[in-house]
Amino acid sequence: MEIQGLPGRLLAELGPAIASGELPEGTVLRAEELEDRFGVSRTVVREAVRILEGMRLVASRRRVGITVQPRSDWDVFDPLVIRWRLAGADRSAQLRSLGSLRLAVEPAAAALAARHATDDERRRLSALAVELTMTARAADLATFLQHDIEFHSTVLRASRNEMFAHLGDTVGAVLTGRTEYHLMPHQPEPYAIRLHREVAEAVCAGDAERAEQAMRTIVEGALTELNHQLG
């Protein structure tokens, strides 16, 4: 999710400042002060604040102002919130938390996908497994990331569980963060690529147990590697 124009520029300043704690819980911001500080109109401030309110990072009340909310209230699944937190001091905790979420959800989603995926989804997973193999060999991490996000999002969507499917953007934000912050190897590990192929093959074959185990091994491996790198 990218917010364009002046509201996006204002969000790019306020969002990370809130997520990092630079603007801590209870901080009160005034619309007129934001207008002056960033040289934007009241309309731009209102639009940016509306988006932050949707993420539950702030609450806006007349005669009170724009108040930064406790972290416990935030929409921690929002891809922008994840991105901002990854850019801050609690990157390690955020990555570990999201890794645990993936471990809880993705193996179950893979098992369901083996039972419920459409023919088109099965074909797409097979094609993506090939693309992942090729881009890994070429050490093309940017293209590999695109295919990896689509692979995992397709598995979540193919589970036919709307709650799992809704986590596609969240998992995409995690995978993007690992690449952007150089927590991926220069060339993806061959065993990880093989396991993605195994997930695709198991889903195509309708083998729920094999799909679940292969996905579990992928996510456990990613979490173990992450913990090793983060110390």
Side-chain angles (χ1 to χ4, degrees):
M1 176 184 177
E2 294 288 348
I3 311 298
Q4 302 298 323
L6 291 174
R9 286 170 52 192
L10 184 54
L11 282 174
E13 295 285 344
L14 294 178
I18 294 170
S20 69
E22 180 184 340
L23 293 174
E25 172 188 344
T27 299
V28 177
L29 306 170
R30 306 290 179 185
E32 55 273 18
E33 293 173 357
L34 293 175
E35 292 173 46
D36 293 341
R37 177 180 172 187
F38 295 101
V40 295
S41 68
R42 179 64 58 93
T43 300
V44 168
V45 171
R46 285 175 177 164
E47 177 64 14
V49 169
R50 182 188 65 79
I51 295 169
L52 291 172
E53 284 186 301
M55 301 173 182
R56 301 197 294 276
L57 267 64
V58 302
S60 180
R61 295 182 179 84
R62 287 187 178 182
R63 294 187 293 276
V64 175
I66 305 155
T67 306
V68 176
Q69 297 300 288
R71 180 168 299 190
S72 57
D73 289 352
W74 297 356
D75 179 4
V76 294
F77 293 106
D78 187 285
L80 274 181
V81 175
I82 292 171
R83 184 185 305 177
W84 293 333
R85 293 181 70 188
L86 288 176
D90 69 342
R91 180 183 305 154
S92 297
Q94 171 76 134
L95 284 168
R96 288 190 173 101
S97 176
L98 290 166
S100 296
L101 173 69
R102 292 185 65 198
L103 186 57
V105 170
E106 290 197 73
L112 289 170
R115 299 187 181 102
H116 303 301
T118 65
D119 289 343
D120 283 347
E121 287 167 338
R122 296 177 200 275
R123 282 192 289 269
R124 187 57 188 152
L125 283 174
S126 294
L128 285 167
V130 173
E131 294 290 348
L132 286 169
T133 301
M134 294 172 61
T135 52
R137 286 174 180 166
D140 181 357
L141 288 185
T143 307
F144 179 90
L145 173 62
Q146 294 173 12
H147 293 319
D148 200 21
I149 289 172
E150 187 180 353
F151 185 94
H152 288 273
S153 295
T154 300
V155 171
L156 290 165
R157 188 170 59 253
S159 73
R160 303 275 87 83
N161 180 306
E162 70 278 11
M163 303 297 286
F164 288 176
H166 191 68
L167 293 174
D169 287 344
T170 301
V171 172
V174 181
L175 297 172
T176 300
R178 287 176 58 205
T179 298
E180 288 183 347
Y181 294 105
H182 309 293
L183 297 170
M184 281 282 289
H186 173 66
Q187 188 166 14
E189 298 289 349
Y191 83 88
I193 307 306
R194 175 181 55 78
L195 287 166
H196 280 74
R197 290 199 301 269
E198 189 167 343
V199 169
E201 291 168 2
V203 169
C204 289
D207 189 336
E209 183 176 352
R210 183 184 170 203
E212 178 176 4
Q213 185 55 54
M215 183 63 83
R216 185 178 304 282
T217 306
I218 288 172
V219 182
E220 284 179 342
L223 190 54
T224 298
E225 183 179 320
L226 180 67
N227 286 328
H228 176 72
Q229 290 174 322
L230 296 175

